[in-house]
PDB file of all heavy atoms in Angstrom:
ATOM      1  N   SER A 158     -67.148   5.956 -70.453  1.00 93.00           N
ATOM      2  CA  SER A 158     -66.808   6.165 -71.845  1.00 93.00           C
ATOM      3  C   SER A 158     -67.997   6.501 -72.635  1.00 93.00           C
ATOM      4  O   SER A 158     -69.044   5.829 -72.533  1.00 93.00           O
ATOM      5  CB  SER A 158     -66.119   4.911 -72.363  1.00 93.00           C
ATOM      6  OG  SER A 158     -65.696   5.054 -73.737  1.00 93.00           O
ATOM      7  N   GLY A 159     -68.033   7.640 -73.192  1.00 84.00           N
ATOM      8  CA  GLY A 159     -69.342   8.026 -73.762  1.00 84.00           C
ATOM      9  C   GLY A 159     -70.215   8.525 -72.743  1.00 84.00           C
ATOM     10  O   GLY A 159     -69.988   9.133 -71.854  1.00 84.00           O
ATOM     11  N   GLU A 160     -71.493   7.984 -72.838  1.00 78.00           N
ATOM     12  CA  GLU A 160     -72.557   8.354 -71.895  1.00 78.00           C
ATOM     13  C   GLU A 160     -72.767   7.383 -70.788  1.00 78.00           C
ATOM     14  O   GLU A 160     -73.600   7.531 -69.846  1.00 78.00           O
ATOM     15  CB  GLU A 160     -73.823   8.631 -72.720  1.00 78.00           C
ATOM     16  CG  GLU A 160     -73.627   9.606 -73.869  1.00 78.00           C
ATOM     17  CD  GLU A 160     -74.672  10.705 -73.702  1.00 78.00           C
ATOM     18  OE1 GLU A 160     -75.630  10.686 -72.930  1.00 78.00           O
ATOM     19  OE2 GLU A 160     -74.503  11.783 -74.364  1.00 78.00           O
ATOM     20  N   ARG A 161     -72.070   6.190 -70.948  1.00 83.00           N
ATOM     21  CA  ARG A 161     -72.273   5.158 -69.916  1.00 83.00           C
ATOM     22  C   ARG A 161     -71.329   5.190 -68.879  1.00 83.00           C
ATOM     23  O   ARG A 161     -70.114   5.036 -69.096  1.00 83.00           O
ATOM     24  CB  ARG A 161     -72.388   3.866 -70.562  1.00 83.00           C
ATOM     25  CG  ARG A 161     -72.722   2.623 -69.675  1.00 83.00           C
ATOM     26  CD  ARG A 161     -72.986   1.430 -70.463  1.00 83.00           C
ATOM     27  NE  ARG A 161     -73.060   0.079 -69.821  1.00 83.00           N
ATOM     28  CZ  ARG A 161     -73.230  -0.222 -68.607  1.00 83.00           C
ATOM     29  NH1 ARG A 161     -73.277   0.605 -67.643  1.00 83.00           N
ATOM     30  NH2 ARG A 161     -73.306  -1.513 -68.301  1.00 83.00           N
ATOM     31  N   ALA A 162     -71.690   5.375 -67.540  1.00 87.00           N
ATOM     32  CA  ALA A 162     -70.814   5.415 -66.418  1.00 87.00           C
ATOM     33  C   ALA A 162     -71.073   4.058 -65.538  1.00 87.00           C
ATOM     34  O   ALA A 162     -72.285   3.672 -65.359  1.00 87.00           O
ATOM     35  CB  ALA A 162     -70.973   6.574 -65.591  1.00 87.00           C
ATOM     36  N   THR A 163     -69.992   3.546 -64.941  1.00 89.00           N
ATOM     37  CA  THR A 163     -70.191   2.358 -64.030  1.00 89.00           C
ATOM     38  C   THR A 163     -69.272   2.802 -62.779  1.00 89.00           C
ATOM     39  O   THR A 163     -68.479   3.779 -62.835  1.00 89.00           O
ATOM     40  CB  THR A 163     -69.565   1.081 -64.586  1.00 89.00           C
ATOM     41  OG1 THR A 163     -68.248   1.227 -65.023  1.00 89.00           O
ATOM     42  CG2 THR A 163     -70.396   0.690 -65.872  1.00 89.00           C
ATOM     43  N   MET A 164     -69.581   2.183 -61.733  1.00 90.00           N
ATOM     44  CA  MET A 164     -68.762   2.377 -60.541  1.00 90.00           C
ATOM     45  C   MET A 164     -67.979   1.131 -60.221  1.00 90.00           C
ATOM     46  O   MET A 164     -68.446  -0.053 -60.533  1.00 90.00           O
ATOM     47  CB  MET A 164     -69.672   2.692 -59.291  1.00 90.00           C
ATOM     48  CG  MET A 164     -70.391   3.989 -59.550  1.00 90.00           C
ATOM     49  SD  MET A 164     -71.313   4.546 -58.040  1.00 90.00           S
ATOM     50  CE  MET A 164     -72.820   5.014 -58.931  1.00 90.00           C
ATOM     51  N   ALA A 165     -66.879   1.312 -59.664  1.00 93.00           N
ATOM     52  CA  ALA A 165     -65.928   0.115 -59.307  1.00 93.00           C
ATOM     53  C   ALA A 165     -65.109   0.483 -58.025  1.00 93.00           C
ATOM     54  O   ALA A 165     -64.533   1.607 -58.014  1.00 93.00           O
ATOM     55  CB  ALA A 165     -65.035  -0.231 -60.569  1.00 93.00           C
ATOM     56  N   GLU A 166     -64.848  -0.568 -57.323  1.00 95.00           N
ATOM     57  CA  GLU A 166     -63.969  -0.420 -56.158  1.00 95.00           C
ATOM     58  C   GLU A 166     -62.526  -0.817 -56.653  1.00 95.00           C
ATOM     59  O   GLU A 166     -62.368  -1.776 -57.068  1.00 95.00           O
ATOM     60  CB  GLU A 166     -64.412  -1.311 -54.956  1.00 95.00           C
ATOM     61  CG  GLU A 166     -63.515  -1.113 -53.756  1.00 95.00           C
ATOM     62  CD  GLU A 166     -64.027  -1.932 -52.534  1.00 95.00           C
ATOM     63  OE1 GLU A 166     -65.121  -2.430 -52.670  1.00 95.00           O
ATOM     64  OE2 GLU A 166     -63.254  -1.970 -51.552  1.00 95.00           O
ATOM     65  N   LEU A 167     -61.664   0.271 -56.648  1.00 96.00           N
ATOM     66  CA  LEU A 167     -60.371   0.124 -57.047  1.00 96.00           C
ATOM     67  C   LEU A 167     -59.283   0.470 -55.954  1.00 96.00           C
ATOM     68  O   LEU A 167     -59.561   1.339 -55.219  1.00 96.00           O
ATOM     69  CB  LEU A 167     -60.192   1.033 -58.301  1.00 96.00           C
ATOM     70  CG  LEU A 167     -61.026   0.759 -59.500  1.00 96.00           C
ATOM     71  CD1 LEU A 167     -60.909   1.791 -60.556  1.00 96.00           C
ATOM     72  CD2 LEU A 167     -60.835  -0.662 -60.173  1.00 96.00           C
ATOM     73  N   SER A 168     -58.245  -0.257 -56.033  1.00 96.00           N
ATOM     74  CA  SER A 168     -57.091  -0.068 -55.106  1.00 96.00           C
ATOM     75  C   SER A 168     -56.445   1.238 -55.489  1.00 96.00           C
ATOM     76  O   SER A 168     -56.443   1.606 -56.619  1.00 96.00           O
ATOM     77  CB  SER A 168     -56.106  -1.163 -55.014  1.00 96.00           C
ATOM     78  OG  SER A 168     -56.617  -2.334 -54.660  1.00 96.00           O
ATOM     79  N   TRP A 169     -55.922   1.927 -54.494  1.00 95.00           N
ATOM     80  CA  TRP A 169     -55.055   3.160 -54.726  1.00 95.00           C
ATOM     81  C   TRP A 169     -53.752   2.776 -55.469  1.00 95.00           C
ATOM     82  O   TRP A 169     -53.238   1.720 -55.170  1.00 95.00           O
ATOM     83  CB  TRP A 169     -54.858   4.029 -53.493  1.00 95.00           C
ATOM     84  CG  TRP A 169     -56.083   4.630 -52.946  1.00 95.00           C
ATOM     85  CD1 TRP A 169     -56.721   4.178 -51.754  1.00 95.00           C
ATOM     86  CD2 TRP A 169     -56.772   5.815 -53.442  1.00 95.00           C
ATOM     87  NE1 TRP A 169     -57.810   5.011 -51.569  1.00 95.00           N
ATOM     88  CE2 TRP A 169     -57.815   6.062 -52.573  1.00 95.00           C
ATOM     89  CE3 TRP A 169     -56.459   6.679 -54.532  1.00 95.00           C
ATOM     90  CZ2 TRP A 169     -58.758   7.126 -52.706  1.00 95.00           C
ATOM     91  CZ3 TRP A 169     -57.388   7.656 -54.700  1.00 95.00           C
ATOM     92  CH2 TRP A 169     -58.478   7.898 -53.876  1.00 95.00           C
ATOM     93  N   CYS A 170     -53.362   3.671 -56.236  1.00 96.00           N
ATOM     94  CA  CYS A 170     -51.957   3.441 -56.847  1.00 96.00           C
ATOM     95  C   CYS A 170     -50.971   3.580 -55.727  1.00 96.00           C
ATOM     96  O   CYS A 170     -50.932   4.229 -54.817  1.00 96.00           O
ATOM     97  CB  CYS A 170     -51.701   4.638 -57.806  1.00 96.00           C
ATOM     98  SG  CYS A 170     -50.037   4.645 -58.515  1.00 96.00           S
ATOM     99  N   GLY A 171     -49.987   2.709 -55.789  1.00 93.00           N
ATOM    100  CA  GLY A 171     -49.003   2.581 -54.757  1.00 93.00           C
ATOM    101  C   GLY A 171     -47.662   3.507 -54.936  1.00 93.00           C
ATOM    102  O   GLY A 171     -46.865   3.519 -54.032  1.00 93.00           O
ATOM    103  N   ALA A 172     -47.732   4.204 -56.038  1.00 96.00           N
ATOM    104  CA  ALA A 172     -46.530   5.172 -56.369  1.00 96.00           C
ATOM    105  C   ALA A 172     -46.393   6.292 -55.325  1.00 96.00           C
ATOM    106  O   ALA A 172     -47.454   6.816 -54.883  1.00 96.00           O
ATOM    107  CB  ALA A 172     -46.676   5.547 -57.723  1.00 96.00           C
ATOM    108  N   ILE A 173     -45.104   6.653 -55.097  1.00 96.00           N
ATOM    109  CA  ILE A 173     -44.986   7.757 -54.061  1.00 96.00           C
ATOM    110  C   ILE A 173     -44.197   8.673 -54.801  1.00 96.00           C
ATOM    111  O   ILE A 173     -43.041   8.466 -55.491  1.00 96.00           O
ATOM    112  CB  ILE A 173     -44.038   7.291 -52.797  1.00 96.00           C
ATOM    113  CG1 ILE A 173     -44.928   6.182 -52.030  1.00 96.00           C
ATOM    114  CG2 ILE A 173     -43.813   8.412 -51.878  1.00 96.00           C
ATOM    115  CD1 ILE A 173     -46.224   6.687 -51.558  1.00 96.00           C
ATOM    116  N   ASP A 174     -44.605  10.111 -54.670  1.00 96.00           N
ATOM    117  CA  ASP A 174     -43.793  11.154 -55.319  1.00 96.00           C
ATOM    118  C   ASP A 174     -42.578  11.341 -54.570  1.00 96.00           C
ATOM    119  O   ASP A 174     -42.446  11.581 -53.330  1.00 96.00           O
ATOM    120  CB  ASP A 174     -44.546  12.505 -55.249  1.00 96.00           C
ATOM    121  CG  ASP A 174     -43.955  13.637 -55.903  1.00 96.00           C
ATOM    122  OD1 ASP A 174     -42.766  13.489 -56.246  1.00 96.00           O
ATOM    123  OD2 ASP A 174     -44.685  14.633 -56.103  1.00 96.00           O
ATOM    124  N   PRO A 175     -41.308  11.163 -55.218  1.00 93.00           N
ATOM    125  CA  PRO A 175     -40.089  11.272 -54.456  1.00 93.00           C
ATOM    126  C   PRO A 175     -39.664  12.625 -53.911  1.00 93.00           C
ATOM    127  O   PRO A 175     -39.028  12.753 -53.008  1.00 93.00           O
ATOM    128  CB  PRO A 175     -38.977  10.817 -55.441  1.00 93.00           C
ATOM    129  CG  PRO A 175     -39.724  10.997 -56.840  1.00 93.00           C
ATOM    130  CD  PRO A 175     -41.185  10.827 -56.577  1.00 93.00           C
ATOM    131  N   ARG A 176     -40.415  13.712 -54.511  1.00 93.00           N
ATOM    132  CA  ARG A 176     -40.174  15.056 -54.126  1.00 93.00           C
ATOM    133  C   ARG A 176     -40.787  15.423 -52.742  1.00 93.00           C
ATOM    134  O   ARG A 176     -40.292  16.169 -52.011  1.00 93.00           O
ATOM    135  CB  ARG A 176     -40.454  16.117 -55.221  1.00 93.00           C
ATOM    136  CG  ARG A 176     -39.764  15.834 -56.388  1.00 93.00           C
ATOM    137  CD  ARG A 176     -40.386  16.557 -57.533  1.00 93.00           C
ATOM    138  NE  ARG A 176     -41.665  15.972 -57.754  1.00 93.00           N
ATOM    139  CZ  ARG A 176     -42.408  16.288 -58.828  1.00 93.00           C
ATOM    140  NH1 ARG A 176     -42.099  17.186 -59.648  1.00 93.00           N
ATOM    141  NH2 ARG A 176     -43.591  15.630 -58.943  1.00 93.00           N
ATOM    142  N   SER A 177     -42.168  14.865 -52.550  1.00 94.00           N
ATOM    143  CA  SER A 177     -42.861  15.198 -51.557  1.00 94.00           C
ATOM    144  C   SER A 177     -43.230  14.039 -50.641  1.00 94.00           C
ATOM    145  O   SER A 177     -43.783  14.280 -49.555  1.00 94.00           O
ATOM    146  CB  SER A 177     -44.176  15.889 -52.103  1.00 94.00           C
ATOM    147  OG  SER A 177     -44.969  14.893 -52.746  1.00 94.00           O
ATOM    148  N   GLU A 178     -43.017  12.901 -51.058  1.00 94.00           N
ATOM    149  CA  GLU A 178     -43.404  11.521 -50.421  1.00 94.00           C
ATOM    150  C   GLU A 178     -44.963  11.382 -50.303  1.00 94.00           C
ATOM    151  O   GLU A 178     -45.416  10.703 -49.376  1.00 94.00           O
ATOM    152  CB  GLU A 178     -42.754  11.423 -49.060  1.00 94.00           C
ATOM    153  CG  GLU A 178     -41.149  11.467 -49.219  1.00 94.00           C
ATOM    154  CD  GLU A 178     -40.517  11.139 -47.847  1.00 94.00           C
ATOM    155  OE1 GLU A 178     -41.092  10.645 -46.923  1.00 94.00           O
ATOM    156  OE2 GLU A 178     -39.292  11.293 -47.877  1.00 94.00           O
ATOM    157  N   ASP A 179     -45.711  12.141 -51.202  1.00 94.00           N
ATOM    158  CA  ASP A 179     -47.164  11.982 -51.186  1.00 94.00           C
ATOM    159  C   ASP A 179     -47.450  10.686 -52.121  1.00 94.00           C
ATOM    160  O   ASP A 179     -46.750  10.626 -53.065  1.00 94.00           O
ATOM    161  CB  ASP A 179     -47.816  13.247 -51.755  1.00 94.00           C
ATOM    162  CG  ASP A 179     -47.745  14.426 -50.859  1.00 94.00           C
ATOM    163  OD1 ASP A 179     -47.640  14.211 -49.578  1.00 94.00           O
ATOM    164  OD2 ASP A 179     -47.807  15.653 -51.221  1.00 94.00           O
ATOM    165  N   ALA A 180     -48.474  10.057 -51.827  1.00 94.00           N
ATOM    166  CA  ALA A 180     -48.921   8.971 -52.671  1.00 94.00           C
ATOM    167  C   ALA A 180     -49.755   9.494 -53.828  1.00 94.00           C
ATOM    168  O   ALA A 180     -50.345  10.490 -53.799  1.00 94.00           O
ATOM    169  CB  ALA A 180     -49.795   8.061 -51.817  1.00 94.00           C
ATOM    170  N   CYS A 181     -49.696   8.770 -54.864  1.00 96.00           N
ATOM    171  CA  CYS A 181     -50.577   9.215 -56.196  1.00 96.00           C
ATOM    172  C   CYS A 181     -51.902   9.001 -55.784  1.00 96.00           C
ATOM    173  O   CYS A 181     -52.394   7.974 -55.123  1.00 96.00           O
ATOM    174  CB  CYS A 181     -50.130   8.168 -57.153  1.00 96.00           C
ATOM    175  SG  CYS A 181     -51.031   8.434 -58.786  1.00 96.00           S
ATOM    176  N   GLY A 182     -52.779   9.900 -56.183  1.00 95.00           N
ATOM    177  CA  GLY A 182     -54.164   9.837 -55.825  1.00 95.00           C
ATOM    178  C   GLY A 182     -55.122   9.216 -56.903  1.00 95.00           C
ATOM    179  O   GLY A 182     -56.258   9.484 -56.898  1.00 95.00           O
ATOM    180  N   LEU A 183     -54.484   8.345 -57.705  1.00 97.00           N
ATOM    181  CA  LEU A 183     -55.216   7.700 -58.768  1.00 97.00           C
ATOM    182  C   LEU A 183     -55.295   6.251 -58.368  1.00 97.00           C
ATOM    183  O   LEU A 183     -54.617   5.818 -57.503  1.00 97.00           O
ATOM    184  CB  LEU A 183     -54.551   7.935 -60.156  1.00 97.00           C
ATOM    185  CG  LEU A 183     -54.433   9.341 -60.633  1.00 97.00           C
ATOM    186  CD1 LEU A 183     -53.624   9.504 -61.952  1.00 97.00           C
ATOM    187  CD2 LEU A 183     -55.883  10.002 -60.879  1.00 97.00           C
ATOM    188  N   PHE A 184     -56.102   5.455 -59.212  1.00 97.00           N
ATOM    189  CA  PHE A 184     -56.155   4.041 -58.892  1.00 97.00           C
ATOM    190  C   PHE A 184     -55.009   3.279 -59.300  1.00 97.00           C
ATOM    191  O   PHE A 184     -54.224   3.670 -60.323  1.00 97.00           O
ATOM    192  CB  PHE A 184     -57.539   3.493 -59.532  1.00 97.00           C
ATOM    193  CG  PHE A 184     -57.673   3.732 -60.933  1.00 97.00           C
ATOM    194  CD1 PHE A 184     -57.126   2.781 -61.851  1.00 97.00           C
ATOM    195  CD2 PHE A 184     -58.216   4.824 -61.515  1.00 97.00           C
ATOM    196  CE1 PHE A 184     -57.256   2.921 -63.273  1.00 97.00           C
ATOM    197  CE2 PHE A 184     -58.362   5.034 -62.806  1.00 97.00           C
ATOM    198  CZ  PHE A 184     -57.878   4.096 -63.645  1.00 97.00           C
ATOM    199  N   ALA A 185     -54.754   2.093 -58.886  1.00 97.00           N
ATOM    200  CA  ALA A 185     -53.587   1.223 -59.093  1.00 97.00           C
ATOM    201  C   ALA A 185     -53.780   0.704 -60.743  1.00 97.00           C
ATOM    202  O   ALA A 185     -54.926   0.477 -61.162  1.00 97.00           O
ATOM    203  CB  ALA A 185     -53.642  -0.070 -58.358  1.00 97.00           C
ATOM    204  N   GLY A 186     -52.675   0.826 -61.524  1.00 96.00           N
ATOM    205  CA  GLY A 186     -52.794   0.480 -62.884  1.00 96.00           C
ATOM    206  C   GLY A 186     -53.384   1.593 -63.777  1.00 96.00           C
ATOM    207  O   GLY A 186     -53.773   1.316 -64.976  1.00 96.00           O
ATOM    208  N   HIS A 187     -53.504   2.831 -63.208  1.00 97.00           N
ATOM    209  CA  HIS A 187     -54.079   3.871 -64.092  1.00 97.00           C
ATOM    210  C   HIS A 187     -53.347   4.076 -65.358  1.00 97.00           C
ATOM    211  O   HIS A 187     -52.033   3.912 -65.335  1.00 97.00           O
ATOM    212  CB  HIS A 187     -54.248   5.197 -63.278  1.00 97.00           C
ATOM    213  CG  HIS A 187     -52.939   5.706 -62.664  1.00 97.00           C
ATOM    214  ND1 HIS A 187     -51.993   6.483 -63.414  1.00 97.00           N
ATOM    215  CD2 HIS A 187     -52.404   5.621 -61.531  1.00 97.00           C
ATOM    216  CE1 HIS A 187     -50.998   6.780 -62.629  1.00 97.00           C
ATOM    217  NE2 HIS A 187     -51.131   6.253 -61.483  1.00 97.00           N
ATOM    218  N   PRO A 188     -54.029   4.474 -66.426  1.00 94.00           N
ATOM    219  CA  PRO A 188     -53.299   4.401 -67.691  1.00 94.00           C
ATOM    220  C   PRO A 188     -52.559   5.795 -68.134  1.00 94.00           C
ATOM    221  O   PRO A 188     -52.088   6.051 -69.326  1.00 94.00           O
ATOM    222  CB  PRO A 188     -54.468   4.372 -68.731  1.00 94.00           C
ATOM    223  CG  PRO A 188     -55.508   4.982 -67.983  1.00 94.00           C
ATOM    224  CD  PRO A 188     -55.430   4.667 -66.638  1.00 94.00           C
ATOM    225  N   SER A 189     -52.339   6.580 -67.177  1.00 87.00           N
ATOM    226  CA  SER A 189     -51.552   7.991 -67.548  1.00 87.00           C
ATOM    227  C   SER A 189     -50.663   8.243 -66.365  1.00 87.00           C
ATOM    228  O   SER A 189     -50.380   7.462 -65.659  1.00 87.00           O
ATOM    229  CB  SER A 189     -52.728   9.011 -67.530  1.00 87.00           C
ATOM    230  OG  SER A 189     -53.166   9.338 -66.291  1.00 87.00           O
ATOM    231  N   ALA A 190     -50.110   9.433 -66.558  1.00 95.00           N
ATOM    232  CA  ALA A 190     -49.155   9.970 -65.544  1.00 95.00           C
ATOM    233  C   ALA A 190     -49.675   9.805 -64.132  1.00 95.00           C
ATOM    234  O   ALA A 190     -50.917   9.824 -63.875  1.00 95.00           O
ATOM    235  CB  ALA A 190     -48.670  11.284 -65.854  1.00 95.00           C
ATOM    236  N   HIS A 191     -48.797   9.806 -63.023  1.00 97.00           N
ATOM    237  CA  HIS A 191     -49.179   9.941 -61.698  1.00 97.00           C
ATOM    238  C   HIS A 191     -49.790  11.328 -61.493  1.00 97.00           C
ATOM    239  O   HIS A 191     -49.408  12.320 -62.196  1.00 97.00           O
ATOM    240  CB  HIS A 191     -48.073   9.647 -60.797  1.00 97.00           C
ATOM    241  CG  HIS A 191     -47.650   8.179 -60.923  1.00 97.00           C
ATOM    242  ND1 HIS A 191     -48.397   7.223 -60.599  1.00 97.00           N
ATOM    243  CD2 HIS A 191     -46.469   7.757 -61.322  1.00 97.00           C
ATOM    244  CE1 HIS A 191     -47.678   6.014 -60.728  1.00 97.00           C
ATOM    245  NE2 HIS A 191     -46.488   6.343 -61.169  1.00 97.00           N
ATOM    246  N   ASP A 192     -50.589  11.539 -60.379  1.00 96.00           N
ATOM    247  CA  ASP A 192     -51.431  12.757 -60.277  1.00 96.00           C
ATOM    248  C   ASP A 192     -50.433  13.937 -60.057  1.00 96.00           C
ATOM    249  O   ASP A 192     -50.759  14.982 -60.316  1.00 96.00           O
ATOM    250  CB  ASP A 192     -52.417  12.592 -59.114  1.00 96.00           C
ATOM    251  CG  ASP A 192     -51.816  12.457 -57.691  1.00 96.00           C
ATOM    252  OD1 ASP A 192     -50.594  12.297 -57.546  1.00 96.00           O
ATOM    253  OD2 ASP A 192     -52.734  12.783 -56.775  1.00 96.00           O
TER     254      ASP A 192
END
Side-chain angles (χ1 to χ4, degrees):
S158 181
E160 304 234 348
R161 182 166 169 16
T163 59
M164 290 183 228
E166 184 177 350
L167 302 172
S168 297
W169 289 105
C170 176
I173 303 293
D174 182 349
R176 299 166 295 190
S177 66
E178 298 189 16
D179 290 334
C181 178
L183 300 173
F184 57 90
H187 56 86
S189 67
H191 295 295
D192 74 343

